[in-house]
């Protein structure tokens, strides 16, 4: 890696072995969030690939997708909507389930978070297996939105998350 901005970002991501369970190498973005220059670079570079697209809504995935989703939305001159774990949203919702390693989970959005025909950018901090992002993309489409693309800070390439998002534009700032 020779790009000094990417070197700085990589230096501000902390690898935590065996969290939340044995065998997982957790990418902890806390140091990056605490370094204003890294935070600025990360948000700018997550928005950049979509600067020429007309984006009507950014959807961030709970919870670290919220952190990056809002500045990306501001950079693109648009608004932000939440995709949350089940049972957290107060109003009328739609939900979508997806498979985890053991069992399944559900992701939920307000039924008016995306309007029919809106062009949506999906944002999260890390793409691992891609299961969460794929379910959120299905949910956005169920609401009538068009998923224009997805933007992540980190892609864990060895987990093949791109495959789960086949047909979508997948952008990531850092690749491990
Ligand atoms: P995925 O397997 O792509 O559905 O990942 C689900 C969620 O878990 C994403 O929102 C990521 O933020 C988070 N995640 C998965 N694996 C990691 C990891 N190794 N380090 C940090 N976050 C992770």
């Amino acid at each position: 890696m020779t790009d000094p901005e990417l070197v700085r970002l990589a230096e501000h991501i902390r690898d935590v072995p065996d969290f939340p369970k044995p065998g997982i190498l957790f990418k902890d973005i806390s140091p990056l969030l605490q370094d204003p220059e890294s935070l600025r670079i990360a948000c700018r570079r997550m928005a950049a690939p979509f600067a020429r697209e007309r984006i009507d809504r950014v959807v961030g995935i709970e919870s670290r997708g919220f952190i990056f989703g809002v500045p990306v939305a501001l950079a693109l001159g648009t608004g932000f909507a939440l995709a949350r774990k089940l049972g957290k949203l107060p109003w009328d919702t739609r939900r979508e389930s997806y498979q985890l390693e053991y069992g399944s989970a559900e992701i939920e959005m307000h039924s008016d978070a995306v309007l029919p025909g809106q062009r949506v950018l999906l944002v999260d901090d890390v793409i691992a297996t891609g299961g969460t992002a794929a379910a959120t993309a299905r949910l956005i489409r169920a609401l009538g939105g068009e998923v224009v693309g997805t933007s992540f800070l980190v892609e864990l390439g060895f987990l093949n998350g791109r495959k789960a998002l086949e047909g979508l534009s997948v952008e990531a700032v850092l690749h491990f």
Side-chain angles (χ1 to χ4, degrees), residues 11-14 28-36 38:
E11 284 173 355
H12 285 83
I13 293 177
R14 178 164 52 200
D28 177 19
I29 57 160
S30 307
L32 185 151
L33 298 177
Q34 290 162 16
D35 177 48
S38 298

Side-chain angles (χ1 to χ4, degrees), residues 125-172:
D125 66 332
V126 174
I127 178 168
T129 66
T132 315
T136 309
R138 290 197 297 276
L139 189 48
I140 292 165
R141 289 194 199 102
L143 295 175
E146 177 193 348
V147 184
V148 174
T150 60
S151 187
F152 303 90
L153 178 63
V154 171
E155 175 181 17
L156 300 177
F158 59 94
L159 291 173
N160 272 324
R162 267 171 202 269
K163 200 147 193 288
L165 295 175
E166 221 155 63
L168 281 179
S169 151
V170 178
E171 297 286 346

Side-chain angles (χ1 to χ4, degrees), residues 19 24-28 61-64 98 124-133 156 159 161:
F19 183 88
I24 307 270
L25 183 64
F26 193 85
K27 296 288 182 186
D28 177 19
I61 300 176
E62 182 167 1
S63 57
R64 290 178 303 271
Y98 56 101
D124 202 358
D125 66 332
V126 174
I127 178 168
T129 66
T132 315
L156 300 177
L159 291 173

